């Protein structure tokens, strides 16, 4: 997909043409109405009203606009302008949606909702543009905005009207919030990240994050195999044509270096199951890298990327400490970074920092040649990071043995995280996890009542040692851990990659051995070492 985008960007050129278009917004509105007749929409009254409300608002606006145009004699025209920046970004984002959806089918099941947002976006943007001028530039602009929003935040069907409002806010901000940038009028904010930040802030302040699929999105994007590599590849066309490699590389490397320092100081991982969460890695490739709302200087883009990485770390810590969902860590800061780009460029051009400008190393190179040089360096950095498990599918923080050992060594935050993971596995039906949770509650939290409840639950799941320990808690006896049963492994072996597909005992023992369960290695035998 990335190669196809690269070829398309290199060869496709469509001349600008102007045509009269009196009823095109109505066509998109009728398309939105047609989607409202799908069973999945009709059978949910609140979702149906979201579609009906959005379509009605567009239809009324359309009628008022064209009545005004006829009365004043305005001629509303359409200019076909397929900008490379838009269709390359849409191509990359579409590839991510397709790949991710193969492993989390909810994406495919929501395809009609994404289509509805696209229809709404085209009609809204067109009507807004014609409300302010006589010519509207039609291209692929709505695709990257809608795709980008849907890669990070969806409202659940009962609240889907807020999704339409989020899309509308993005286009309104692009059209109405502008400044003079190097002698020309330009939008200040990234049209997808601005509504994401505004709505994220609103959801946090009102405590209504459960109205969205935000947490599910952030976790399921790691389900597909080799997802880091996939994002690296789909980001290449944009990096080649628009020179955003330095932003992505600076953000990734800064976050990773912080993670290394944190691990050296604490013995655990800052983001728990990874050095850079996959959703953050996605944001570093396809969210904050809009060339129109980022610095113009190369050093400025490096600083911009570093600030994004550091602000993500800071927000993750602040949100976690406040008991708020941490998946907002990659969304809230981008509008503030957009506002700072002129200051960043001014600092990058100053005498103090000019000596660090990376363009000084290749002034004789043409822009595209410099882009290739940065991309080559980024490819080397990414390969090294993959080799040392800084990115990839096998980070040890995903798996329980690492956290059991870290807790036994009294690493800060390790025991609290271990308790949360064991509670989650107990909820999913692991008797072994319930027994371990009970021991944790009795010995570390001094919560005997909670310990008995957890152990009895493990007993109900058929884990005999939990039954014995439940009686010992009441009597003040010694509590004992036990080896997980085979039926526990499909639950407790789950890392961040999604459900465990192995089912035979031999395969489960092999997987357990690879994840660091020493008792399983003896049962797996020589198979585990192949």
């Amino acid at each position: 997909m990335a190669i196809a985008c690269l070829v398309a960007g290199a060869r496709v050129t469509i001349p600008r043409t102007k045509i009269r278009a009196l009823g095109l917004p109505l066509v998109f509105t009728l398309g939105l109405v047609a989607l409202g007749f799908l069973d999945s929409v009709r059978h949910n009254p609140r979702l149906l009203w979201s579609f009906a409300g959005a379509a009605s608002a567009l239809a009324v606006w359309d009628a008022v606009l064209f009545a005004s145009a006829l009365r004043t004699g305005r001629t509303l025209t359409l200019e076909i302008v397929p900008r490379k920046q838009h269709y390359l970004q849409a191509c990359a984002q579409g590839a991510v949606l397709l790949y991710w959806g193969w492993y989390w089918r909810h994406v495919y099941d929501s395809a009609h909702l994404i289509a509805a947002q696209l229809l709404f976006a085209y009609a809204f943007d067109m009507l807004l543009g014609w409300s302010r001028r006589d010519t509207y530039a039609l291209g692929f602009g709505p695709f990257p905005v809608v795709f980008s929003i849907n890669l990070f935040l969806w409202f659940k069907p009962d609240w889907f009207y807020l999704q339409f409002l989020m899309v509308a806010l993005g286009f309104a901000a692009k059209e109405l919030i502008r400044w003079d940038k190097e002698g020309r009028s330009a939008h200040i904010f990234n049209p997808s990240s601005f509504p994401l930040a505004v709505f994220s802030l609103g959801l946090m302040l009102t405590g209504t994050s459960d109205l969205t699929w935000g947490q599910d999105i952030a976790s399921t994007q790691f389900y597909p195999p080799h997802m880091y590599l996939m994002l690296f590849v789909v980001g290449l066309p944009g990096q080649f044509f628009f020179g955003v490699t330095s932003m992505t590389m600076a953000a990734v490397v800064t976050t990773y270096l912080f993670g290394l320092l944190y691990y050296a100081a604490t013995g655990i991982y800052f983001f728990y199951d990874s050095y850079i969460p996959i959703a953050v890695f996605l944001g570093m490739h396809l969210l904050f890298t809009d060339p129109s709302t980022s610095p113009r200087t190369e050093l400025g883009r490096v600083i911009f990327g570093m600030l994004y990485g550091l602000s993500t770390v800071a927000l993750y810590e602040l949100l976690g400490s406040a008991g708020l969902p941490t998946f907002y860590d990659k969304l809230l800061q981008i509008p503030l970074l957009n506002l700072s780009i002129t200051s960043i460029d001014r600092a990058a051009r100053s005498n103090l920092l000019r000596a660090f400008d990376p363009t000084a190393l290749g002034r004789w190179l043409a822009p595209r040649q410099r882009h290739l040089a940065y991309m080559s360096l980024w490819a080397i950095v990414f390969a090294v990071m993959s080799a040392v498990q800084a990115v990839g599918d096998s980070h040890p923080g995903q798996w329980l043995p690492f956290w059991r050992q870290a807790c036994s060594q009294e690493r800060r935050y390790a025991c609290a995280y271990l308790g949360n993971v064991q509670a989650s596995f107990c909820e999913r039906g692991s008797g072994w996890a319930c027994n371990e949770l009970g021991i944790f509650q009795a010995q570390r939290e001094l919560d005997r009542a909670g310990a008995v409840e957890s152990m009895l639950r493990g007993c109900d799941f058929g884990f005999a040692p939990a039954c014995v320990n439940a009686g010992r808690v009441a009597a003040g006896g010694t509590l004992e851990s036990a080896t997980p049963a085979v039926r526990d492994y499909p639950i407790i072996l789950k890392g961040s990659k999604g459900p465990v597909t192995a089912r035979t005992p031999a395969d489960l023992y092999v997987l357990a051995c690879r994840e660091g369960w020493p008792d399983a290695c003896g049962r797996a035998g020589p198979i585990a070492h192949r």
Side-chain angles (χ1 to χ4, degrees), residues 339-354:
L339 283 170
S340 70
I341 63 173
T342 55
S343 298
I344 291 174
D345 275 335
R346 192 180 305 117
R349 295 187 180 107
S350 68
N351 292 331
L352 181 64
L353 296 180
R354 189 176 299 167

Side-chain angles (χ1 to χ4, degrees), residues 250-252 254-255 271 284 304-314 333:
V252 171
T254 299
T255 308
F271 290 107
M284 291 172 173
F304 193 70
M306 293 173 65
L307 289 174
Y308 183 70
L310 292 174
S311 61
T312 299
V313 168
Q333 69 273 51

Side-chain angles (χ1 to χ4, degrees), residues 219-395:
S219 58
T220 60
Q221 283 174 346
F222 196 41
Y223 283 7
H226 310 297
M227 192 61 170
Y228 287 97
L229 177 60
M230 195 272 181
L231 294 177
F232 169 80
V233 172
V234 299
L236 294 178
Q239 293 170 12
F240 175 73
F241 286 106
F242 308 114
V244 297
T245 310
S246 51
M247 286 191 284
T248 294
M249 181 166 55
V252 171
V253 172
T254 299
T255 308
Y256 174 54
L257 290 178
F258 173 86
L260 285 178
L261 292 173
Y262 187 87
Y263 181 80
T266 66
I268 65 170
Y269 303 104
F270 181 73
F271 290 107
Y272 292 107
D273 65 349
S274 59
Y275 279 109
I276 305 173
I278 195 64
V280 172
F281 197 74
L282 172 61
M284 291 172 173
H285 282 76
L286 298 178
L287 181 61
F288 93 111
T289 52
D290 176 16
S292 299
T293 56
S294 56
R296 303 288 294 175
T297 62
E298 200 64 56
L299 178 58
R301 292 188 171 192
V302 172
I303 296 171
F304 193 70
M306 293 173 65
L307 289 174
Y308 183 70
L310 292 174
S311 61
T312 299
V313 168
L315 282 169
Y316 183 85
E317 177 64 24
L318 288 172
L319 293 171
S321 298
L324 295 169
T326 55
F327 64 84
Y328 295 119
D329 59 353
K330 57 198 167 288
L331 305 177
L332 295 171
Q333 69 273 51
I334 299 179
L336 294 177
L337 291 175
N338 294 152
L339 283 170
S340 70
I341 63 173
T342 55
S343 298
I344 291 174
D345 275 335
R346 192 180 305 117
R349 295 187 180 107
S350 68
N351 292 331
L352 181 64
L353 296 180
R354 189 176 299 167
F356 300 99
D357 189 349
T359 56
L361 301 176
R363 293 189 185 281
W364 64 90
L365 297 175
R368 293 280 171 81
Q369 291 175 321
R370 282 201 302 272
H371 297 173
L372 283 174
Y374 296 141
M375 290 169 64
S376 299
L377 176 59
W378 171 223
I380 294 171
V381 170
F382 180 80
V384 172
M385 291 180 66
S386 299
V388 298
Q389 296 184 344
V391 293
D393 293 351
S394 301
H395 192 280

Side-chain angles (χ1 to χ4, degrees), residues 449-485:
V452 171
E453 182 180 351
S454 297
M455 290 169 176
L456 288 177
R457 189 169 190 178
C459 183
D460 291 340
F461 289 141
F463 193 71
C467 307
V468 175
N469 279 336
R472 289 177 176 175
V473 169
T478 302
L479 305 181
E480 295 183 1
S481 296
T483 301

